[in-house]
Amino acid sequence: MTKTQYNYRGMLFSIDEMKLSNDNLATFASARDFGNAAAGYVAGRKGIPWRVARIAFDGLQTIQGKNWKSGKWQVEGQPTQRAQRVGHTAGMNAFKRAYSKSLEEVKRAKAQRVISFGPK
C-alpha cells in the first residue's frame, strides 16, 4: 500500500444511481460520505422532500453541534449536503418506482373488480 492510499483510506463510490459525478471518472468517498448518502437515501426512500430533509439534517446538526445551547441554527457543510443529496436522489427514485408500482396494482385490481372502493 502506498502512503497516499494509507492516508486517505476511502473507497470507490459507484452504487447504481448513487454516483457523485457524471463525468465517468472514478469517485472515491470516505465512510462519512457513505453515511451521509445513506441518510439522504433513507429520507428519499420515505418520500420526504429534499427541503424538509435539509431542515431535519440541519436540525440534527444544531442539536449535536458544539454550540447547541446558544440557540444558533447550524447548517451542515457543502460536502455533507452533496453526499446527502446524492443519496436522497437515489432514494426518491426508488420511492417513485415503488409508488408507481403500487398505483398500477390498485388500478389493475380495480379494473378487475377485485377490490371495491366505497359503499355498494
PDB file of all heavy atoms in Angstrom, residues 75-101:
ATOM      1  N   VAL A  75     -25.855  24.997   9.973  1.00  0.00           N
ATOM      2  CA  VAL A  75     -26.075  24.384   8.661  1.00  0.00           C
ATOM      3  C   VAL A  75     -24.884  23.483   8.361  1.00  0.00           C
ATOM      4  O   VAL A  75     -23.739  23.858   8.584  1.00  0.00           O
ATOM      5  CB  VAL A  75     -26.217  25.471   7.565  1.00  0.00           C
ATOM      6  CG1 VAL A  75     -26.377  24.854   6.196  1.00  0.00           C
ATOM      7  CG2 VAL A  75     -27.394  26.374   7.888  1.00  0.00           C
ATOM      8  N   GLU A  76     -25.179  22.291   7.854  1.00  0.00           N
ATOM      9  CA  GLU A  76     -24.105  21.365   7.520  1.00  0.00           C
ATOM     10  C   GLU A  76     -23.301  21.885   6.336  1.00  0.00           C
ATOM     11  O   GLU A  76     -23.813  22.630   5.504  1.00  0.00           O
ATOM     12  CB  GLU A  76     -24.682  19.986   7.190  1.00  0.00           C
ATOM     13  CG  GLU A  76     -25.293  19.332   8.414  1.00  0.00           C
ATOM     14  CD  GLU A  76     -25.864  17.963   8.124  1.00  0.00           C
ATOM     15  OE1 GLU A  76     -26.617  17.843   7.138  1.00  0.00           O
ATOM     16  OE2 GLU A  76     -25.557  17.042   8.869  1.00  0.00           O
ATOM     17  N   GLY A  77     -22.060  21.451   6.243  1.00  0.00           N
ATOM     18  CA  GLY A  77     -21.172  21.892   5.178  1.00  0.00           C
ATOM     19  C   GLY A  77     -21.576  21.353   3.815  1.00  0.00           C
ATOM     20  O   GLY A  77     -22.336  20.383   3.698  1.00  0.00           O
ATOM     21  N   GLN A  78     -21.054  21.980   2.771  1.00  0.00           N
ATOM     22  CA  GLN A  78     -21.395  21.597   1.400  1.00  0.00           C
ATOM     23  C   GLN A  78     -21.026  20.151   1.058  1.00  0.00           C
ATOM     24  O   GLN A  78     -21.821  19.475   0.407  1.00  0.00           O
ATOM     25  CB  GLN A  78     -20.755  22.563   0.397  1.00  0.00           C
ATOM     26  CG  GLN A  78     -21.445  23.911   0.346  1.00  0.00           C
ATOM     27  CD  GLN A  78     -22.909  23.789  -0.041  1.00  0.00           C
ATOM     28  OE1 GLN A  78     -23.248  23.145  -1.016  1.00  0.00           O
ATOM     29  NE2 GLN A  78     -23.776  24.390   0.747  1.00  0.00           N
ATOM     30  N   PRO A  79     -19.850  19.631   1.452  1.00  0.00           N
ATOM     31  CA  PRO A  79     -19.554  18.231   1.135  1.00  0.00           C
ATOM     32  C   PRO A  79     -20.577  17.267   1.748  1.00  0.00           C
ATOM     33  O   PRO A  79     -21.002  16.308   1.098  1.00  0.00           O
ATOM     34  CB  PRO A  79     -18.163  18.007   1.733  1.00  0.00           C
ATOM     35  CG  PRO A  79     -17.555  19.361   1.766  1.00  0.00           C
ATOM     36  CD  PRO A  79     -18.695  20.299   2.066  1.00  0.00           C
ATOM     37  N   THR A  80     -21.010  17.568   2.960  1.00  0.00           N
ATOM     38  CA  THR A  80     -22.020  16.742   3.620  1.00  0.00           C
ATOM     39  C   THR A  80     -23.344  16.833   2.873  1.00  0.00           C
ATOM     40  O   THR A  80     -23.994  15.823   2.603  1.00  0.00           O
ATOM     41  CB  THR A  80     -22.208  17.201   5.083  1.00  0.00           C
ATOM     42  OG1 THR A  80     -20.971  17.025   5.775  1.00  0.00           O
ATOM     43  CG2 THR A  80     -23.306  16.434   5.771  1.00  0.00           C
ATOM     44  N   GLN A  81     -23.742  18.046   2.512  1.00  0.00           N
ATOM     45  CA  GLN A  81     -25.003  18.235   1.801  1.00  0.00           C
ATOM     46  C   GLN A  81     -24.989  17.548   0.437  1.00  0.00           C
ATOM     47  O   GLN A  81     -25.996  16.975   0.018  1.00  0.00           O
ATOM     48  CB  GLN A  81     -25.287  19.723   1.620  1.00  0.00           C
ATOM     49  CG  GLN A  81     -25.657  20.427   2.900  1.00  0.00           C
ATOM     50  CD  GLN A  81     -26.048  21.875   2.669  1.00  0.00           C
ATOM     51  OE1 GLN A  81     -26.572  22.236   1.621  1.00  0.00           O
ATOM     52  NE2 GLN A  81     -25.793  22.720   3.659  1.00  0.00           N
ATOM     53  N   ARG A  82     -23.848  17.608  -0.255  1.00  0.00           N
ATOM     54  CA  ARG A  82     -23.767  16.966  -1.573  1.00  0.00           C
ATOM     55  C   ARG A  82     -23.934  15.454  -1.458  1.00  0.00           C
ATOM     56  O   ARG A  82     -24.652  14.843  -2.255  1.00  0.00           O
ATOM     57  CB  ARG A  82     -22.446  17.313  -2.260  1.00  0.00           C
ATOM     58  CG  ARG A  82     -22.439  18.707  -2.864  1.00  0.00           C
ATOM     59  CD  ARG A  82     -21.284  18.903  -3.828  1.00  0.00           C
ATOM     60  NE  ARG A  82     -19.983  18.772  -3.196  1.00  0.00           N
ATOM     61  CZ  ARG A  82     -19.306  19.756  -2.627  1.00  0.00           C
ATOM     62  NH1 ARG A  82     -19.812  20.976  -2.607  1.00  0.00           N
ATOM     63  NH2 ARG A  82     -18.134  19.537  -2.088  1.00  0.00           N
ATOM     64  N   ALA A  83     -23.291  14.851  -0.477  1.00  0.00           N
ATOM     65  CA  ALA A  83     -23.427  13.405  -0.290  1.00  0.00           C
ATOM     66  C   ALA A  83     -24.864  13.046   0.084  1.00  0.00           C
ATOM     67  O   ALA A  83     -25.420  12.058  -0.412  1.00  0.00           O
ATOM     68  CB  ALA A  83     -22.450  12.915   0.781  1.00  0.00           C
ATOM     69  N   GLN A  84     -25.483  13.856   0.938  1.00  0.00           N
ATOM     70  CA  GLN A  84     -26.875  13.611   1.309  1.00  0.00           C
ATOM     71  C   GLN A  84     -27.786  13.742   0.092  1.00  0.00           C
ATOM     72  O   GLN A  84     -28.731  12.966  -0.077  1.00  0.00           O
ATOM     73  CB  GLN A  84     -27.319  14.590   2.397  1.00  0.00           C
ATOM     74  CG  GLN A  84     -26.693  14.319   3.736  1.00  0.00           C
ATOM     75  CD  GLN A  84     -26.908  15.446   4.723  1.00  0.00           C
ATOM     76  OE1 GLN A  84     -27.240  16.573   4.355  1.00  0.00           O
ATOM     77  NE2 GLN A  84     -26.697  15.154   6.001  1.00  0.00           N
ATOM     78  N   ARG A  85     -27.502  14.707  -0.755  1.00  0.00           N
ATOM     79  CA  ARG A  85     -28.338  14.930  -1.939  1.00  0.00           C
ATOM     80  C   ARG A  85     -28.239  13.767  -2.923  1.00  0.00           C
ATOM     81  O   ARG A  85     -29.246  13.363  -3.520  1.00  0.00           O
ATOM     82  CB  ARG A  85     -27.932  16.242  -2.625  1.00  0.00           C
ATOM     83  CG  ARG A  85     -28.806  16.637  -3.795  1.00  0.00           C
ATOM     84  CD  ARG A  85     -30.246  16.878  -3.312  1.00  0.00           C
ATOM     85  NE  ARG A  85     -31.160  17.114  -4.389  1.00  0.00           N
ATOM     86  CZ  ARG A  85     -31.763  18.264  -4.616  1.00  0.00           C
ATOM     87  NH1 ARG A  85     -31.551  19.294  -3.844  1.00  0.00           N
ATOM     88  NH2 ARG A  85     -32.603  18.386  -5.608  1.00  0.00           N
ATOM     89  N   VAL A  86     -27.031  13.224  -3.083  1.00  0.00           N
ATOM     90  CA  VAL A  86     -26.854  12.066  -3.962  1.00  0.00           C
ATOM     91  C   VAL A  86     -27.706  10.905  -3.456  1.00  0.00           C
ATOM     92  O   VAL A  86     -28.427  10.261  -4.220  1.00  0.00           O
ATOM     93  CB  VAL A  86     -25.362  11.664  -4.037  1.00  0.00           C
ATOM     94  CG1 VAL A  86     -25.188  10.295  -4.665  1.00  0.00           C
ATOM     95  CG2 VAL A  86     -24.574  12.702  -4.812  1.00  0.00           C
ATOM     96  N   GLY A  87     -27.622  10.640  -2.161  1.00  0.00           N
ATOM     97  CA  GLY A  87     -28.429   9.567  -1.580  1.00  0.00           C
ATOM     98  C   GLY A  87     -29.915   9.850  -1.672  1.00  0.00           C
ATOM     99  O   GLY A  87     -30.714   8.959  -1.973  1.00  0.00           O
ATOM    100  N   HIS A  88     -30.297  11.101  -1.439  1.00  0.00           N
ATOM    101  CA  HIS A  88     -31.711  11.467  -1.492  1.00  0.00           C
ATOM    102  C   HIS A  88     -32.281  11.276  -2.896  1.00  0.00           C
ATOM    103  O   HIS A  88     -33.393  10.777  -3.060  1.00  0.00           O
ATOM    104  CB  HIS A  88     -31.898  12.923  -1.044  1.00  0.00           C
ATOM    105  CG  HIS A  88     -33.326  13.328  -0.965  1.00  0.00           C
ATOM    106  ND1 HIS A  88     -34.009  13.872  -2.039  1.00  0.00           N
ATOM    107  CD2 HIS A  88     -34.226  13.252   0.048  1.00  0.00           C
ATOM    108  CE1 HIS A  88     -35.244  14.114  -1.684  1.00  0.00           C
ATOM    109  NE2 HIS A  88     -35.408  13.753  -0.422  1.00  0.00           N
ATOM    110  N   THR A  89     -31.523  11.644  -3.898  1.00  0.00           N
ATOM    111  CA  THR A  89     -31.978  11.474  -5.284  1.00  0.00           C
ATOM    112  C   THR A  89     -32.222  10.006  -5.592  1.00  0.00           C
ATOM    113  O   THR A  89     -33.254   9.643  -6.162  1.00  0.00           O
ATOM    114  CB  THR A  89     -30.954  12.075  -6.257  1.00  0.00           C
ATOM    115  OG1 THR A  89     -30.822  13.478  -5.969  1.00  0.00           O
ATOM    116  CG2 THR A  89     -31.378  11.888  -7.704  1.00  0.00           C
ATOM    117  N   ALA A  90     -31.278   9.150  -5.204  1.00  0.00           N
ATOM    118  CA  ALA A  90     -31.445   7.709  -5.435  1.00  0.00           C
ATOM    119  C   ALA A  90     -32.628   7.169  -4.638  1.00  0.00           C
ATOM    120  O   ALA A  90     -33.413   6.365  -5.154  1.00  0.00           O
ATOM    121  CB  ALA A  90     -30.160   6.970  -5.060  1.00  0.00           C
ATOM    122  N   GLY A  91     -32.773   7.603  -3.399  1.00  0.00           N
ATOM    123  CA  GLY A  91     -33.890   7.149  -2.571  1.00  0.00           C
ATOM    124  C   GLY A  91     -35.232   7.609  -3.107  1.00  0.00           C
ATOM    125  O   GLY A  91     -36.207   6.858  -3.114  1.00  0.00           O
ATOM    126  N   MET A  92     -35.296   8.843  -3.572  1.00  0.00           N
ATOM    127  CA  MET A  92     -36.540   9.367  -4.130  1.00  0.00           C
ATOM    128  C   MET A  92     -36.914   8.622  -5.408  1.00  0.00           C
ATOM    129  O   MET A  92     -38.090   8.345  -5.643  1.00  0.00           O
ATOM    130  CB  MET A  92     -36.416  10.872  -4.382  1.00  0.00           C
ATOM    131  CG  MET A  92     -37.731  11.545  -4.726  1.00  0.00           C
ATOM    132  SD  MET A  92     -39.041  11.378  -3.488  1.00  0.00           S
ATOM    133  CE  MET A  92     -38.574  12.611  -2.307  1.00  0.00           C
ATOM    134  N   ASN A  93     -35.917   8.274  -6.221  1.00  0.00           N
ATOM    135  CA  ASN A  93     -36.195   7.479  -7.426  1.00  0.00           C
ATOM    136  C   ASN A  93     -36.777   6.115  -7.051  1.00  0.00           C
ATOM    137  O   ASN A  93     -37.721   5.639  -7.680  1.00  0.00           O
ATOM    138  CB  ASN A  93     -34.936   7.310  -8.266  1.00  0.00           C
ATOM    139  CG  ASN A  93     -34.531   8.594  -8.954  1.00  0.00           C
ATOM    140  OD1 ASN A  93     -35.337   9.503  -9.139  1.00  0.00           O
ATOM    141  ND2 ASN A  93     -33.270   8.688  -9.323  1.00  0.00           N
ATOM    142  N   ALA A  94     -36.233   5.492  -6.013  1.00  0.00           N
ATOM    143  CA  ALA A  94     -36.754   4.202  -5.548  1.00  0.00           C
ATOM    144  C   ALA A  94     -38.169   4.370  -5.009  1.00  0.00           C
ATOM    145  O   ALA A  94     -39.043   3.532  -5.254  1.00  0.00           O
ATOM    146  CB  ALA A  94     -35.837   3.622  -4.478  1.00  0.00           C
ATOM    147  N   PHE A  95     -38.421   5.455  -4.285  1.00  0.00           N
ATOM    148  CA  PHE A  95     -39.756   5.737  -3.757  1.00  0.00           C
ATOM    149  C   PHE A  95     -40.765   5.895  -4.893  1.00  0.00           C
ATOM    150  O   PHE A  95     -41.858   5.329  -4.857  1.00  0.00           O
ATOM    151  CB  PHE A  95     -39.729   7.010  -2.905  1.00  0.00           C
ATOM    152  CG  PHE A  95     -41.091   7.490  -2.489  1.00  0.00           C
ATOM    153  CD1 PHE A  95     -41.770   6.881  -1.449  1.00  0.00           C
ATOM    154  CD2 PHE A  95     -41.696   8.553  -3.143  1.00  0.00           C
ATOM    155  CE1 PHE A  95     -43.023   7.329  -1.055  1.00  0.00           C
ATOM    156  CE2 PHE A  95     -42.952   9.006  -2.765  1.00  0.00           C
ATOM    157  CZ  PHE A  95     -43.614   8.390  -1.716  1.00  0.00           C
ATOM    158  N   LYS A  96     -40.388   6.648  -5.916  1.00  0.00           N
ATOM    159  CA  LYS A  96     -41.300   6.879  -7.049  1.00  0.00           C
ATOM    160  C   LYS A  96     -41.595   5.587  -7.799  1.00  0.00           C
ATOM    161  O   LYS A  96     -42.736   5.362  -8.215  1.00  0.00           O
ATOM    162  CB  LYS A  96     -40.705   7.918  -7.995  1.00  0.00           C
ATOM    163  CG  LYS A  96     -40.719   9.320  -7.423  1.00  0.00           C
ATOM    164  CD  LYS A  96     -40.018  10.303  -8.343  1.00  0.00           C
ATOM    165  CE  LYS A  96     -39.987  11.698  -7.749  1.00  0.00           C
ATOM    166  NZ  LYS A  96     -39.238  12.645  -8.578  1.00  0.00           N
ATOM    167  N   ARG A  97     -40.578   4.743  -7.963  1.00  0.00           N
ATOM    168  CA  ARG A  97     -40.810   3.449  -8.622  1.00  0.00           C
ATOM    169  C   ARG A  97     -41.774   2.595  -7.809  1.00  0.00           C
ATOM    170  O   ARG A  97     -42.700   1.989  -8.351  1.00  0.00           O
ATOM    171  CB  ARG A  97     -39.495   2.702  -8.836  1.00  0.00           C
ATOM    172  CG  ARG A  97     -38.684   3.206 -10.000  1.00  0.00           C
ATOM    173  CD  ARG A  97     -37.540   2.250 -10.341  1.00  0.00           C
ATOM    174  NE  ARG A  97     -36.679   1.982  -9.199  1.00  0.00           N
ATOM    175  CZ  ARG A  97     -35.602   2.684  -8.875  1.00  0.00           C
ATOM    176  NH1 ARG A  97     -35.260   3.731  -9.594  1.00  0.00           N
ATOM    177  NH2 ARG A  97     -34.880   2.356  -7.831  1.00  0.00           N
ATOM    178  N   ALA A  98     -41.583   2.528  -6.500  1.00  0.00           N
ATOM    179  CA  ALA A  98     -42.454   1.728  -5.635  1.00  0.00           C
ATOM    180  C   ALA A  98     -43.871   2.290  -5.640  1.00  0.00           C
ATOM    181  O   ALA A  98     -44.847   1.537  -5.681  1.00  0.00           O
ATOM    182  CB  ALA A  98     -41.895   1.687  -4.222  1.00  0.00           C
ATOM    183  N   TYR A  99     -43.995   3.626  -5.603  1.00  0.00           N
ATOM    184  CA  TYR A  99     -45.305   4.259  -5.615  1.00  0.00           C
ATOM    185  C   TYR A  99     -46.032   3.962  -6.927  1.00  0.00           C
ATOM    186  O   TYR A  99     -47.212   3.612  -6.935  1.00  0.00           O
ATOM    187  CB  TYR A  99     -45.168   5.763  -5.411  1.00  0.00           C
ATOM    188  CG  TYR A  99     -46.480   6.497  -5.435  1.00  0.00           C
ATOM    189  CD1 TYR A  99     -47.323   6.480  -4.331  1.00  0.00           C
ATOM    190  CD2 TYR A  99     -46.888   7.192  -6.570  1.00  0.00           C
ATOM    191  CE1 TYR A  99     -48.531   7.150  -4.350  1.00  0.00           C
ATOM    192  CE2 TYR A  99     -48.094   7.861  -6.603  1.00  0.00           C
ATOM    193  CZ  TYR A  99     -48.914   7.837  -5.494  1.00  0.00           C
ATOM    194  OH  TYR A  99     -50.113   8.486  -5.525  1.00  0.00           O
ATOM    195  N   SER A 100     -45.315   4.079  -8.041  1.00  0.00           N
ATOM    196  CA  SER A 100     -45.923   3.810  -9.353  1.00  0.00           C
ATOM    197  C   SER A 100     -46.376   2.359  -9.450  1.00  0.00           C
ATOM    198  O   SER A 100     -47.454   2.072  -9.968  1.00  0.00           O
ATOM    199  CB  SER A 100     -44.937   4.112 -10.474  1.00  0.00           C
ATOM    200  OG  SER A 100     -44.659   5.485 -10.524  1.00  0.00           O
ATOM    201  N   LYS A 101     -45.558   1.460  -8.944  1.00  0.00           N
ATOM    202  CA  LYS A 101     -45.907   0.040  -8.981  1.00  0.00           C
ATOM    203  C   LYS A 101     -47.163  -0.220  -8.149  1.00  0.00           C
ATOM    204  O   LYS A 101     -48.070  -0.926  -8.588  1.00  0.00           O
ATOM    205  CB  LYS A 101     -44.747  -0.799  -8.458  1.00  0.00           C
ATOM    206  CG  LYS A 101     -44.990  -2.283  -8.521  1.00  0.00           C
ATOM    207  CD  LYS A 101     -43.783  -3.061  -8.026  1.00  0.00           C
ATOM    208  CE  LYS A 101     -44.078  -4.547  -8.040  1.00  0.00           C
ATOM    209  NZ  LYS A 101     -42.967  -5.326  -7.499  1.00  0.00           N
TER     210      LYS A 101
END
